[in-house]
Amino acid sequence: MRSPHRTDPHQFSADGSEAPRNPYEELGALDDGPLEVTSLEEFFDEDTTGGGDEEEREPEWSPPVHRRGGRRRRGRFAGLPLAVKAVVGLVVLAAFAGLADRWAVLYAEHRAADALEDRLDLAAAPEVEIGGFPFLTQLADKRLDSVRLTVPDVAADRVSLAKVSATAHDVRLDADGLTSVRGAHIPRLDGDVLLSFADLNRELGASQVTFTGEGRDRVRARGTLPVAGRDLRLRAEATIQRQGERGIATEIGGMRLDIGDLATYRPGTRASDGLHLTPKAAADLARETRRAKALLSVPAIVRRLGMSDATAREALSDEGALTELTGSPRFARQAQSLNLVDLALDNPAVLRSLGLDPDLLDALSRLTRPVLADRLALSFELPEPERGNVRLRDVRVEEDGIRVRLTGSQLAFGSQ
């Protein structure tokens, strides 16, 4: 092989100076001669015979690693200690166990509400809340710490109780699992009954009458009551008291019906009861000669006024005597004391002259004290349980209604 640095005699001219170089000749000088290859396999194959100085083989190609640091990332929790992993696992298991326990509680509450609705013949399913945690261990032990029951409307006598709320303690179950509860035994129960004024106003058939509390044991009724086609203004008071162990009673007092400014009706048999003129109507009567003469012309009325027949005849015949008689305060008081109901049947013309309708007075005569008191009565009685006993305690009047404390013992439901 020729060296590219050897001197070519043709590179110099005849006078000894260096002739111009030919670039193609220089490229030809770089040629090492023909390749000594016997076959293509020898050209592409490497010498693996181990003879001579073997060159170091190139490493086998593999895809580049682009992860940070050039190393495979470890798991998110790979660096956590084993104890921490165990705690995390326990927390997860506890969460799932808690969810299962709460689901079981909801299922049991729903089943209990449906059973009570059917057994007690309620208008709607009650609200049942099972206390204590966890529930499943209580169920396995067949004993519940507490069960709270809320019934929005319970029929009792003439009214519906607005709400009955009670909590049963230490309930023992007769059950073989969550879906096979046959009965329950309740050693102790406490709660309260609320008879709301709103329900009373709606359910007693007297929507025009409103009930409000007045003191610890009194209820005031105010409103209107339709009688013989006229709306009479009603006023009454009721005293609330416990009656026996399961009921409350009301004593109605101060009942009166006002016929405008003309007269006031109080049911009863006392002298102050009946239908009487108001002070304003009695004063107007004393000033009106025509009405005064109408009263004095009836001997029965004269006797009730406490007058003699001679005095009445003189007043009817002499205007001066009539004015002197009716102008005295005594006459107005006597006119107020007249029970006009007693005169309704025998003297209808006199009542018309006073502005009173005989039909209205006839209806009032039938509206006796017991009848009117019954229309305003707030009494009720709790139904007697099949087993055990329930008692009412501490009757009191509050702003929203009548509340009575409820206690019970040794109650049993179902197979117990």
Side-chain angles (χ1 to χ4, degrees):
M1 185 180 297
R2 291 179 300 178
S3 173
H5 301 289
R6 66 186 177 180
T7 303
D8 190 347
H10 299 287
Q11 293 179 353
F12 296 94
S13 59
D15 57 1
S17 62
E18 185 177 357
R21 296 181 180 181
N22 186 344
Y24 295 102
E25 293 180 356
E26 292 182 358
L27 290 176
L30 295 177
D31 184 13
D32 291 333
L35 292 176
E36 298 178 359
V37 179
T38 59
S39 67
L40 291 178
E41 293 179 358
E42 293 181 6
F43 178 78
F44 289 104
D45 291 345
E46 295 180 356
D47 184 8
T48 58
T49 58
D53 295 336
E54 182 179 357
E55 294 183 341
E56 183 179 356
R57 298 182 60 186
E58 294 183 1
E60 186 177 352
W61 181 88
S62 62
V65 178
H66 299 288
R67 294 185 179 94
R68 187 175 301 173
R71 302 173 60 185
R72 182 182 299 272
R73 294 181 60 185
R74 304 174 65 183
R76 180 173 298 179
F77 301 104
L80 294 178
L82 181 61
V84 176
K85 295 180 180 179
V87 171
V88 172
L90 290 176
V91 170
V92 173
L93 290 177
F96 279 107
L99 290 176
D101 189 83
R102 292 301 90 191
W103 178 88
V105 168
L106 294 176
Y107 178 80
E109 291 173 347
H110 178 72
R111 288 289 301 270
D114 290 342
L116 289 173
E117 180 183 1
D118 295 338
R119 190 170 188 83
L120 301 179
D121 194 22
L122 301 177
E127 298 177 9
V128 179
E129 182 180 353
I130 300 176
F133 182 83
F135 166 71
L136 292 177
T137 57
Q138 296 183 76
L139 183 63
D141 194 34
K142 299 182 180 181
R143 185 184 299 270
L144 302 178
D145 294 342
S146 65
V147 178
R148 181 171 179 80
L149 174 67
T150 302
V151 184
D153 294 291
V154 175
D157 202 6
R158 297 176 60 244
V159 297
S160 293
L161 307 183
K163 181 180 292 186
V164 176
S165 300
T167 301
H169 303 275
D170 195 23
V171 180
R172 295 195 294 271
L173 300 176
D174 178 17
D176 292 328
L178 183 60
T179 60
S180 60
V181 179
R182 293 179 293 273
H185 180 265
I186 303 173
R188 182 171 62 91
L189 179 142
D190 58 71
D192 58 54
V193 177
L194 175 65
L195 182 62
S196 75
F197 292 137
D199 287 346
L200 292 176
N201 299 338
R202 181 182 67 251
E203 295 184 14
L204 289 181
S207 58
Q208 303 92 336
V209 179
T210 58
F211 295 87
T212 55
E214 190 174 71
R216 190 182 186 279
D217 61 348
R218 300 178 71 84
V219 175
R220 181 178 61 186
R222 297 290 186 270
T224 59
L225 187 67
V227 178
R230 296 188 59 175
D231 289 334
L232 307 185
R233 190 164 61 248
L234 169 68
R235 298 182 183 182
E237 292 180 354
T239 302
I240 310 299
Q241 56 189 359
R242 185 167 61 89
Q243 185 177 37
E245 293 183 346
R246 299 194 311 277
I248 66 172
T250 53
E251 181 180 353
I252 308 298
M255 291 182 293
R256 56 180 289 183
L257 292 169
D258 295 331
I259 307 174
D261 294 331
L262 179 60
T264 298
Y265 174 72
R266 294 182 176 89
T269 56
R270 297 174 299 180
S272 59
D273 295 334
L275 183 65
H276 298 269
L277 295 174
T278 64
K280 180 181 182 301
D284 293 341
L285 173 64
R287 291 191 297 267
E288 294 185 15
T289 303
R290 180 179 60 84
R291 291 185 177 183
K293 285 184 177 183
L295 286 179
L296 296 177
S297 63
V298 180
I301 296 178
V302 171
R303 288 191 295 271
R304 288 177 179 272
L305 291 174
M307 299 178 186
S308 64
D309 292 340
T311 303
R313 286 194 298 268
E314 181 183 4
L316 290 174
S317 60
D318 187 348
E319 293 290 337
L322 178 62
T323 301
E324 183 180 355
L325 176 65
T326 58
S328 66
R330 181 172 178 269
F331 178 81
R333 291 194 300 269
Q334 290 173 327
Q336 284 184 249
S337 66
L338 287 175
N339 188 350
L340 302 179
V341 173
D342 297 340
L343 307 174
L345 298 178
D346 299 331
N347 305 278
V350 175
L351 297 179
R352 288 192 183 94
S353 67
L354 296 177
L356 294 171
D357 183 3
D359 293 337
L360 174 61
L361 298 183
D362 183 58
L364 288 176
S365 65
R366 295 194 301 269
L367 191 60
T368 61
R369 185 180 185 86
V371 172
L372 184 57
D374 183 67
R375 297 184 66 171
L376 300 175
L378 309 179
S379 305
F380 73 86
E381 184 173 355
L382 288 178
E384 185 175 1
E386 297 179 358
R387 281 164 285 183
N389 62 81
V390 177
R391 300 179 180 181
L392 298 178
R393 305 289 188 190
D394 300 335
V395 180
R396 63 185 183 275
V397 177
E398 298 180 349
E399 181 179 358
D400 54 347
I402 304 170
R403 190 178 298 275
V404 188
R405 190 166 64 89
L406 175 71
T407 61
S409 61
Q410 305 305 320
L411 298 171
F413 298 95
S415 62
Q416 289 287 330

